[in-house]
Amino acid sequence: MAGSRVRILTYNIRHCRGTDGRVAPERVAEVIAATGADIVALQEVDVGRARTGGLDQADEIARLLGMTPHFHPALHIEEERYGDAILTRLPSRLMRAGPLPGLVRRPGLEPRGALWVEIAVGALRLQVVTTHLGLLGAERIAQTEALLGADWLGDPACRAPTVLLGDFNATSWTRAYHRLTRRLTDARRIAGRNEGRRGGASFPSRFPLLRLDRVFVGEGLTVERLAVVDGPLPRRASDHLPVFADIRLDDR
C-alpha cells in the first residue's frame, strides 16, 4: 500500500527536571533528537515559571530541534504558564487549544487542557491532538468525553487521519481507556500484531511499570512500529520515558 510515513512521539518531560533533580531542557532535546521524530507531543512544559528559571521550555526545546512549537497553558498564574506542546518541522497550523473539564466537587484539582494541530504530511493533513488527563477516574471520564465531543475529535474539521496522544494517566483496565478505544485504536494493538511485542511501560522511568503514555489512531493510518525509548539518558531526563510510533498514512 502506498502512503506517507511519519514518526510521532509523546513525552511527559516533567518540566525538564530529571530523576537526578537537574532541570535540563537540552537533555530532553537530546533524547528527542536521537529518536528522529517528525512530530513531538510534550506534556508538563513550563513557560516563564520561576521554578525553572523563567525559560520558555517549548520554545527552547523546539529551537534545539529545529522545529516550530505550538503551546497551550492548562495552568496560567500571572506570567507563569504550564501545559502541553506540539513541535514539528513539518508545515503546521494551530486548530484549537483549550481547557478540559475538571470536577465541580473538587475545584482544587490541577487544570487540564488539550492542543490540536493540523500537520501536512506529504499531500495529506494529519490531525494531531495531545493532552494530559487527570489523576482521578471520574475526572478522566469527563475529560475523555470532552475530547470525543464536538470541540475536539467530534469537530467536522478533525477528520481522518487523526492521532490522539499524550499522558492519559490511565491503564488499559480503566473506564477512560475503554471509552477512547470505542472510537480510536490503541497503536500498540496494531504494532503488536506486526511485531509480536508486549509490554510498553513508560512510567516511572527508572523502573517502568505502567503504560500511561499512549498513542491512539483513527482510520486511514497503519502503525508500523511502536516503542518505548529506553536507556541511561532517557531514564535521567524525566520521570517518564518517551513513546514513539511509526505511522503510515494511506494516501488513497
Side-chain angles (χ1 to χ4, degrees):
M1 182 191 301
S4 301
R5 288 173 169 80
V6 65
R7 175 167 287 185
I8 189 164
L9 178 140
T10 182
Y11 194 7
N12 182 326
I13 63 172
R14 194 200 187 191
H15 57 270
C16 297
R17 187 176 300 277
T19 53
D20 57 2
R22 186 164 69 91
V23 175
E26 67 281 1
R27 184 166 56 183
V28 167
E30 184 179 350
V31 171
I32 296 169
T35 70
D38 305 292
I39 302 166
V40 179
L42 302 177
Q43 302 84 46
E44 297 196 15
V45 182
D46 271 8
V47 171
R49 301 202 73 181
R51 69 179 181 182
T52 45
L55 185 69
D56 183 329
Q57 293 186 339
D59 188 70
E60 177 64 8
I61 294 169
R63 183 189 67 80
L64 291 168
L65 295 170
M67 294 182 169
T68 298
H70 301 273
F71 173 72
H72 172 253
L75 174 67
H76 197 160
I77 303 175
E78 296 182 351
E79 298 303 314
E80 297 195 350
R81 295 180 290 164
Y82 170 78
D84 310 308
I86 293 175
L87 319 178
T88 184
R89 61 177 58 88
L90 298 171
S92 62
R93 63 169 176 154
L94 176 65
M95 300 295 287
R96 189 183 302 278
L100 293 178
L103 297 177
V104 175
R105 296 180 181 178
R106 298 289 299 274
L109 294 174
E110 179 181 317
R112 306 287 176 167
L115 178 64
W116 167 18
V117 174
E118 181 182 84
I119 298 175
V121 182
L124 300 177
R125 298 294 182 267
L126 178 65
Q127 310 303 320
V128 179
V129 180
T130 190
T131 190
H132 183 190
L133 298 188
L135 297 175
L136 301 181
E139 183 187 11
R140 291 193 298 270
I141 286 293
Q143 292 159 358
T144 297
E145 293 295 340
L147 284 168
L148 295 172
D151 288 339
W152 300 96
L153 296 172
D155 188 316
C158 197
R159 55 189 175 273
T162 303
V163 174
L164 171 67
L165 74 171
D167 178 356
F168 292 86
N169 275 316
T171 57
S172 58
W173 56 82
T174 59
R175 291 172 59 204
Y177 174 85
H178 287 289
R179 182 68 186 87
L180 287 169
T181 54
R182 291 178 198 166
R183 178 82 63 87
L184 302 167
T185 302
D186 186 340
R188 179 158 289 279
R189 291 185 178 274
I190 304 173
R193 290 199 295 269
N194 293 340
E195 298 183 356
R197 295 182 58 187
R198 295 182 180 272
S202 58
F203 178 84
S205 58
R206 283 185 168 177
F207 189 70
L209 295 171
L210 299 175
R211 280 189 59 211
L212 304 181
D213 306 281
R214 298 177 178 272
V215 179
F216 296 93
V217 298
E219 296 179 357
L221 297 174
T222 299
V223 182
E224 298 184 329
R225 184 186 179 198
L226 188 140
V228 176
V229 181
D230 204 348
L233 186 60
R235 290 194 178 211
R236 286 197 307 273
S238 173
D239 62 343
H240 286 246
L241 296 174
V243 177
F244 75 80
D246 289 335
I247 294 172
R248 185 175 72 236
L249 291 75
D250 183 358
D251 57 13
R252 295 179 303 177

